[in-house]
Amino acid sequence: MKNLLVTGGCGFIGTGFIRYLLLNSDFKGRIINVDKITYAGNPDNLADIEKSNPERYVFKKADICDPDAITHAFKAYEIDAVCNFAAESHVDRSIVAPDAFIRTNIEGTFNLLEVSRQNSDRLVLFHHVSTDEVYGSLGSDGFFTEKTPYKPNSPYSASKAASDHLVRAYNKTYALPVTISNCSNNYGPYQFPEKLIPLMILNALEGKSLPIYGDGRNVRDWLFVEDHCRAVWEIMKGGTRGQTYNIGGRCELANIDTVTMLCGLLDEMVPKTDRTSHRDLITFIQDRPGHDLRYAIDCSKLEKELGWAPVETFETGLRKTIQWYLDNSNWVQRIKSGEYLRWVRQHYGNDE
Ligand code: NAD
Ligand code: TYD
């Protein structure tokens, strides 16, 4: 893997992956980051990398649905591997406006596969990053394994399921060398503040209410983003082509317990001046339609075959995450004020 095309590298996990590959891993090649810069993509995330690693990092603003742009990137940079993070990723947005999810997640993945197939003489790997949400919802027991049938419930998870099927089909039909990973909920630095954990941290710091959907008993399996990124790289290097690997933190928590724990850490790290607890800000609001009850990943295949295990516990990962948001108030302000999007439009034009 000399010239790795990473899509969606300006988003939360893509940023973590590029930083991990260039700063902390044994990857020796060059990364070409193709990102459309939607509301969730932020070029600030990799500005330092662009400056310090010009020979190993290239950024191209492009849509994964655009065959000409992707073909051009393949030719110009002699792409020999792909890691596809680009997606519309927020369940709540997919409920309100599913169109972009169908386009980017399904048509975009299809376009990447087609261009990869046309350049398959050089291609050693197409890795597709996906979610455990394709498996649907669990009851109070059991785990998702790689053999669990797909049963997606939201437009987001249905679009990711479709993309997974296409990737698998390109391996079976065209012998494209692919791997797929299905990961549980991530948290950590650079996460766009509309997902549960960053939203709760930032609301709590501003003394705003902490909105929990329904009764807060829905369970998610949390994984620190760097542990996910390391797992993806291990799968890319050592995973069997044509196979799927589940990635999870063995860290199941009901949402109310997650937010309560977060509030406890905030009370310790940034105590309120009146000494009341951040917990007092918790409010229960109307439930999300089709809200999956429980996700829990069995990641024993990844552990056994590739020797991966998460490094962070939920507490150490949450502390790091809170500290990162405290240390990066400029990043937060630029997002909240819309300044980063104005900057993107000035630099790249308004093509939305
Ligand atoms: P994100 O929303 O933070 O980032 C998505 C990135 O993709 C953004 O930079 C955006 O600009 C880019 N993008 C969107 N549409 C594009 C297009 N048409 N062309 C090019 N770029 C485009 O998402 P994330 O949380 O970093 O998730 C990354 C991947 O990981 C997704 O495929 C998601 O399904 C998967 N995943 C996420 C989680 C999680 O908890 N966040 C868990 C498991 C799997
Ligand atoms: P989210 O971060 O949107 O991830 P996903 O829907 O992909 O699991 O939400 C995580 C959990 O938190 C999910 O059960 C929905 C819940 N949630 C709330 O209770 N309140 C909120 O404001 C948000 C954004 C999520």
Side-chain angles (χ1 to χ4, degrees):
M1 293 183 242
K2 287 196 185 114
N3 292 303
L4 172 62
L5 179 75
V6 174
T7 69
C10 296
F12 163 48
I13 308 175
T15 290
F17 184 70
I18 291 174
R19 300 189 80 85
Y20 168 70
L21 239 52
L22 293 177
L23 303 177
N24 291 318
S25 81
D26 55 359
F27 175 70
K28 298 277 182 287
R30 175 170 67 155
I31 291 177
I32 296 82
N33 172 16
V34 166
D35 196 303
K36 182 183 172 185
I37 312 281
T38 65
Y39 79 95
N42 188 341
D44 288 358
N45 296 0
L46 294 162
D48 58 329
I49 296 277
E50 200 161 8
K51 261 197 207 130
S52 59
N53 281 282
E55 66 300 328
R56 293 192 64 208
Y57 175 77
V58 179
F59 171 65
K60 287 285 157 203
K61 183 178 183 298
D63 188 333
I64 59 165
C65 301
D66 178 347
D68 294 340
I70 301 301
T71 302
H72 179 263
F74 262 75
K75 302 273 182 235
Y77 298 105
E78 301 184 341
I79 297 302
D80 55 13
V82 177
C83 184
N84 182 28
F85 288 95
E88 287 292 335
S89 71
H90 191 196
V91 175
D92 291 329
R93 283 182 189 251
S94 85
I95 294 168
V96 178
D99 323 38
F101 289 73
I102 304 306
R103 210 179 102 75
T104 288
N105 299 0
I106 305 179
E107 292 175 28
T109 303
F110 165 67
N111 183 46
L112 287 172
L113 287 165
E114 265 302 286
V115 178
S116 299
R117 182 165 80 91
Q118 286 150 19
N119 291 276
S120 57
D121 47 336
R122 196 165 25 218
L123 198 86
V124 296
L125 179 65
F126 185 107
H127 181 78
H128 181 62
V129 177
S130 192
T131 165
D132 59 355
E133 301 188 26
V134 298
Y135 298 122
S137 181
L138 290 164
S140 54
D141 55 11
F143 295 90
F144 297 135
T145 74
E146 289 81 359
K147 293 194 170 77
T148 303
Y150 277 28
K151 212 176 167 189
N153 291 319
S154 70
Y156 163 66
S157 54
S159 68
K160 291 297 291 187
S163 68
D164 294 9
H165 289 319
L166 282 169
V167 175
R168 189 175 169 281
Y170 268 65
N171 172 258
K172 293 285 173 198
T173 306
Y174 306 113
L176 201 74
V178 312
T179 44
I180 299 173
S181 51
N182 295 86
C183 188
S184 62
N185 284 64
N186 282 216
Y187 66 100
Y190 301 100
Q191 188 165 28
F192 193 82
E194 65 182 4
K195 303 278 174 82
L196 181 73
I197 289 187
L199 180 78
M200 296 295 154
I201 295 174
L202 297 180
N203 277 12
L205 292 175
E206 288 183 29
K208 292 185 182 161
S209 70
L210 308 180
I212 296 194
Y213 300 157
D215 61 5
R217 300 317 310 168
N218 301 68
V219 171
R220 296 294 180 266
D221 176 356
W222 293 99
L223 183 67
F224 191 62
V225 63
E226 278 173 35
D227 282 322
H228 181 193
C229 294
R230 200 162 36 79
V232 167
W233 181 230
E234 291 306 325
I235 294 164
M236 290 177 71
K237 285 190 297 181
T240 306
R241 281 23 187 172
Q243 297 237 342
T244 284
Y245 291 84
N246 281 353
I247 311 172
R250 295 192 191 280
C251 175
E252 277 184 63
L253 280 168
N255 291 334
I256 183 63
D257 297 331
T258 298
V259 177
T260 303
M261 184 170 166
L262 188 65
C263 288
L265 289 174
L266 284 165
D267 290 345
E268 182 198 315
M269 293 167 77
V270 266
K272 292 214 286 178
T273 41
D274 62 4
R275 295 280 150 182
T276 57
S277 171
H278 291 92
R279 276 192 292 275
D280 300 345
L281 298 168
I282 292 175
T283 332
F284 293 93
I285 64 165
Q286 191 180 6
D287 210 352
R288 171 190 279 174
H291 196 175
D292 285 340
L293 178 66
R294 175 172 165 257
Y295 303 145
I297 280 270
D298 176 348
C299 55
S300 48
K301 176 176 172 182
L302 177 63
E303 290 169 338
K304 280 188 203 130
E305 280 189 25
L306 298 173
W308 173 89
V311 167
E312 301 293 342
T313 64
F314 196 48
E315 190 188 325
T316 60
L318 262 191
R319 275 184 194 280
K320 284 187 179 178
T321 306
I322 295 170
Q323 195 58 53
W324 188 88
Y325 281 93
L326 289 171
D327 294 343
N328 288 276
S329 50
N330 275 350
W331 183 91
V332 173
Q333 273 325 310
R334 271 169 67 79
I335 285 186
K336 289 208 156 174
S337 64
E339 200 180 325
Y340 83 107
L341 278 180
R342 283 194 289 280
W343 184 91
V344 167
R345 287 194 198 107
Q346 270 165 17
H347 276 71
Y348 298 109
N350 187 1
D351 62 358
E352 288 301 308

